[in-house]
Amino acid sequence: MDWWRQAVVYQIYPRSFADSDGDGVGDLRGVISRIPYLAALGIDAVWLSPFYPSALADGGYDVDDYRDVDPQLGTLADFDEMTAGLHARRIRVIVDIVPNHTSNRHPWFREALEAPKGSPARNRYIFRDGLGPDGAQPPSDWVSLFGGPAWARVPDGQWYLHLFAAEQPDLNWENREVRDDFTTTLRFWSDRGVDGFRVDVAHGLAKNLVEPLEPQAGMKDPIDGALPPGTHPLWDRDAVHDIYAEWRQVFNEYDPPRAGVAEAWVHPSRRPKYASPDGLGQAFNFDLLEANWNAGEFLRIITDNLSDAQRQGSSTTWVLSNHDGVRHATRYGLPPEEYRSRDNARKWLLSGGTSPRLERGPGLRRARAALLLVLALPGSAYLYQGEELGLHEVPDIPFELVQDPAHARSRGAEKGRDGCRVPLPWTPGGPSFGFGPGAAHLPQPAWFGPLSVEAQDRDPASTLVLYRQALSWRHKLQTAESMDWMPSTNGQVLHFARPGGWRCVTNFGPGPVPLPNGTVILTSVPVEGNQLPADTTAWLLSS
Ligand code: NOJ
């Protein structure tokens, strides 16, 4: 059985996990120092967000060199030591590959800037002449995902495409040299013992840039299914799968084959292609990142994703939080109509977290219930660092300290994603709550102290202890990738059984419901008597 099919993968955002040298930025030796913590948590794998050399125009997703470690984060020798240390504790290692764009400091891009129009160096990227008599207008009116124009002009007057920040020029994947360089990178890390790859913007590599370029206004969102599949000029084109077929051959050169997981923001019906055994093998299911705390929504998402994955021969993934979105304890503590749409979540962040009012307690209670629910499902679960501490989003980072390029590029219309990237608290006090010997690169709020690892470590009611207990039970109970809904499932309650007698029941509220028969082994909050309170999950064994 492929190890990743039902693995629990813990996402480390390295610059905010643990800082060994006091420069305020987390590093690989910081990760090494916390291997015992990761082992005690009970995870199966870590996924490290980029640790490569980078000027941090986009938190490391602007890569200068795909085959090295940023000097601020360590060395390749540190990487090898970290991998060996994790493997010794039976924790696999997944690294992040960023193929849609390099950074503007990558040697290829520097060379492209020096080289003339039409040169092979420019052909590794997407350069075009501008419109208008003197070419002063961009080649199209496309808008970057971080706001502002998606084209930037270089001194000789040409323009290059950047679907993200201007410091992230898009690569030309029709160029054989680009393709070969990435397979070299995949082998480089695989040879060092890396077990898998998380593929950034996996749906963006193949583009149709035949002129005239389509105007932005006509370019419907491919995710909502408004377009015939595969017809958007920039996203989710069928040709992208030729690239992953090549990558699969590389993955299969190794024993066990290296794993892949696609970050593909595509219509759910298109996800299975990325997750195909001939492609990357697995694709993120982000549906729960956007869902309300609501039995009906969870039911639909679970049912759809399990059947899609089964059809494709893959296993699905469950994601409640990651480094790009508002933490789920916070989402579940905002009034549903407010956090439902991106606009309202954005407003809450822009208000510094003051409006609408966040109900921290109920949000965390629901987050704990959601965790037990997703951990009981077939498939793999991706956890994001800090969720095991029950951390909420930090909404009040002063605007002048915000690092996310989405903030500046949107001219302040977005607060950005820093609020879920604040360095972790390890101790109740100290200069950065134990993150490192010095101050942290983003300010940590005072409420981090009581939520630190040390404060929660031995508290049986803590979220950290709940995570450890849940992961330990999951290891014992995890079984074939199937589940059956129980008859008591309804508009308020989700109740399902896994082979071997493991059952999970979640009450989404508003009132208590009778606990089903069976031996209760774990609950998301203490439960007394035979009623399951609102916003609570229980795991049971059939008696
Ligand atoms: C997705 C990553 O998760 C995000 O953090 C990044 O900004 C974009 N891709 C661009 O690389």
Side-chain angles (χ1 to χ4, degrees), residues 58 153 183 243 257 273 313 319 396 406 410 413 434:
D58 179 21
R153 203 167 192 200
T183 50
I243 298 167
K273 281 199 163 188
V319 186
D396 49 2
S410 68

Side-chain angles (χ1 to χ4, degrees), residues 1-7 92 248 256-257 259 277 281 313 315 481:
M1 230 263 289
D2 291 318
W3 66 267
W4 45 267
R5 292 190 69 95
Q6 302 211 71
R92 314 246 182 187
R248 171 51 55 191
S315 68
E481 285 171 47

Side-chain angles (χ1 to χ4, degrees), residues 11 13 47 49-50 57-62 96-101 145-146 163-165 168 198-203 263 265 284 286 322-324 404-405 417 421:
Q11 181 190 356
Y13 188 76
W47 147 34
S49 278
D58 179 21
Y61 284 89
D62 46 320
D96 216 311
I97 286 291
V98 188
N100 182 65
H101 40 263
L145 267 76
F146 291 152
L163 294 178
F164 293 88
Q168 294 168 296
R198 177 264 188 194
V199 182
D200 189 67
V201 197
H203 57 311
E263 188 220 17
W265 289 91
F284 280 125
F286 288 138
N322 66 20
H323 66 297
D324 286 333
D404 187 350
R417 300 160 294 177
R421 301 177 179 182

